[in-house]
Amino acid sequence: MDAASLNQLKQFVAQCKSKPSILADPSLSFFRDYLESLGCQLPPSAYEGSSNTKSKPYVVDESDEDVEDIEEEHRPQEAAVEEEEDEIVESDVELEGEIVEPDNDAPQKMGDPAVEVTEENRDASQEAKAQAMEAISEGKLEVAIEHLTQAIMLNPTSAIMYATRATVYIKMKKPNAAIRDSNAALEINPDSAKGYKSRGMARAMLGQWEEAAKDLHLASKLDFDEELSAVLKKVEPNAHKLEEHRRKYDRLRKEREDRKKERERQRRRAEAQDPELMTAFSDPEVMAALQDVMKNPANLAKHQSNPKVAPIIAKMMGKFGGPK
């Protein structure tokens, strides 16, 4: 590059320093992006009147907690590497309440819904249920399970039998068994309040707070009782925390995706403005030389003989022009 071109570049850089608003020209949006990729902090006047939202620092009105796991969007990057953000890592949610270890017993015996139930079987089923209730009152839960299983075998079409056995499994701290019985009860009778209540309580024991809250609310609508109210008071706070946590990170992921789309849009726009310059800027050697020149225009002299760098600087000077 001849001395006149070098002097022109020096004058252009001096102009940018004294009047940063020059960079607000939309045609220089790719140049602003380049300066920011080097870690430059441009003054507000460099953006005034520009529609290039990518170049402006991204600001979110959130607490530190909201963004603590998101890597800062604007940071120096290695040349020729597209700017990317780290995946969002969700923080833990502080929940209250005790949960139990899942029961991994073999599934309990279930009745055959295809069996024809006679009046005699129904009566026998009720008798077995009465014996189960007596065993429950005496604290003999295993015995109660045996009687209720017999009642189910005799009358597999009774939702109340399954729901009652589910309540016993809850007392025995076997939530998975209780959920299986609750599901069976709800298949027979979708409006079984006891089925929803038992399943909700079992899910709460497993720490499935949101699912538990849904079941307990349904049970409450069908047949409210004081026990339901007490359980809901323990379950709802955790369910609300988890719901807010999920919404928060859904929002952060959407914002991250929106930023990614905006960067891609601006990249395509810049390429459309001057594909040759954008291609050259993807060359690490060219980027390193331009960074060196931008730090000190006098360094241009040592890059004049570089066949990659010199034509790009000449093109930039022809595009930007010097002072008139």
Side-chain angles (χ1 to χ4, degrees):
M1 181 175 289
D2 56 30
S5 296
L6 175 59
N7 183 58
Q8 192 177 30
L9 177 59
K10 290 180 179 179
Q11 291 176 337
F12 173 70
V13 172
Q15 270 194 314
C16 291
K17 289 181 177 179
S18 63
K19 190 178 181 182
S21 60
I22 292 174
L23 297 175
D25 188 327
S27 66
L28 299 181
S29 62
F30 74 96
F31 188 56
R32 289 197 305 271
D33 293 343
Y34 163 65
L35 293 176
E36 288 182 337
S37 73
L38 302 180
C40 298
Q41 296 294 326
L42 302 181
S45 59
Y47 304 103
E48 291 176 358
S50 171
S51 61
N52 186 350
T53 58
K54 174 182 179 292
S55 298
K56 298 180 182 181
Y58 182 78
V59 179
V60 180
D61 185 16
E62 296 170 347
S63 65
D64 291 341
E65 180 184 358
D66 284 351
V67 295
E68 62 184 357
D69 296 314
I70 302 178
E71 185 173 334
E72 185 179 355
E73 181 180 358
H74 293 287
R75 62 193 186 279
Q77 293 289 314
E78 291 294 328
V81 178
E82 181 180 357
E83 182 178 0
E84 292 289 348
E85 296 179 82
D86 286 344
E87 287 296 328
I88 296 173
V89 180
E90 294 190 18
S91 60
D92 294 332
V93 182
E94 294 185 5
L95 303 173
E96 298 180 359
E98 296 181 2
I99 60 175
V100 302
E101 288 293 326
D103 47 311
N104 297 315
D105 300 339
Q108 62 269 39
K109 291 182 179 180
M110 311 294 275
D112 182 359
V115 170
E116 183 178 352
V117 181
T118 64
E119 286 297 327
E120 182 179 351
N121 284 348
R122 284 193 177 89
D123 292 342
S125 177
Q126 289 295 330
E127 177 61 28
K129 179 187 175 185
Q131 292 175 338
M133 300 308 291
E134 182 179 350
I136 292 173
S137 66
E138 296 174 354
K140 299 176 181 178
L141 301 182
E142 292 286 356
V143 174
I145 290 293
E146 292 176 5
H147 287 305
L148 286 168
T149 300
Q150 182 184 5
I152 289 170
M153 297 297 107
L154 289 166
N155 186 5
T157 63
S158 173
I160 194 65
M161 296 300 179
Y162 284 106
T164 301
R165 190 171 67 172
T167 64
V168 180
Y169 279 126
I170 290 173
K171 292 178 182 293
M172 298 173 70
K173 298 189 183 303
K174 293 186 176 183
N176 283 330
I179 290 173
R180 287 191 289 268
D181 272 351
S182 298
N183 288 339
L186 291 167
E187 285 181 11
I188 297 170
N189 178 15
D191 292 327
S192 171
K194 197 167 187 176
Y196 284 117
K197 177 181 176 180
S198 297
R199 191 170 68 180
M201 294 176 69
R203 285 175 165 175
M205 292 173 70
L206 292 171
Q208 299 171 2
W209 305 109
E210 291 179 282
E211 295 84 352
K214 291 178 182 177
D215 279 342
L216 294 170
H217 276 295
L218 283 170
S220 181
K221 290 180 181 179
L222 293 166
D223 185 15
F224 179 81
D225 62 46
E226 292 300 325
E227 185 181 22
L228 263 174
S229 177
V231 177
L232 271 170
K233 287 180 180 178
K234 296 179 180 179
V235 170
E236 281 189 312
N238 286 341
H240 289 159
K241 287 180 182 179
L242 289 170
E243 183 179 7
E244 291 173 2
H245 178 86
R246 184 179 64 255
R247 287 179 178 175
K248 164 186 166 182
Y249 282 95
D250 284 347
R251 172 173 55 81
L252 291 177
R253 289 189 183 93
K254 183 179 184 303
E255 290 172 353
R256 179 181 182 274
E257 185 62 25
D258 288 346
R259 292 196 297 274
K260 183 177 179 181
K261 289 179 180 178
E262 177 63 14
R263 286 196 298 270
E264 177 63 17
R265 188 182 71 81
Q266 294 295 341
R267 182 186 66 80
R268 291 179 180 178
R269 178 185 175 187
E271 287 179 348
Q273 289 177 343
D274 198 319
E276 184 180 352
L277 278 180
M278 292 306 298
T279 299
F281 285 168
S282 68
D283 188 316
E285 184 179 356
V286 173
M287 290 290 283
L290 290 176
Q291 184 175 0
D292 186 38
V293 173
M294 291 305 298
K295 287 180 178 178
N296 184 358
N299 291 337
L300 178 61
K302 65 182 182 182
H303 299 292
Q304 290 184 29
S305 61
N306 188 324
K308 286 185 178 181
V309 178
I312 296 302
I313 293 179
K315 184 175 181 64
M316 289 173 60
M317 291 309 305
K319 186 176 181 66
F320 301 152
K324 302 300 182 183

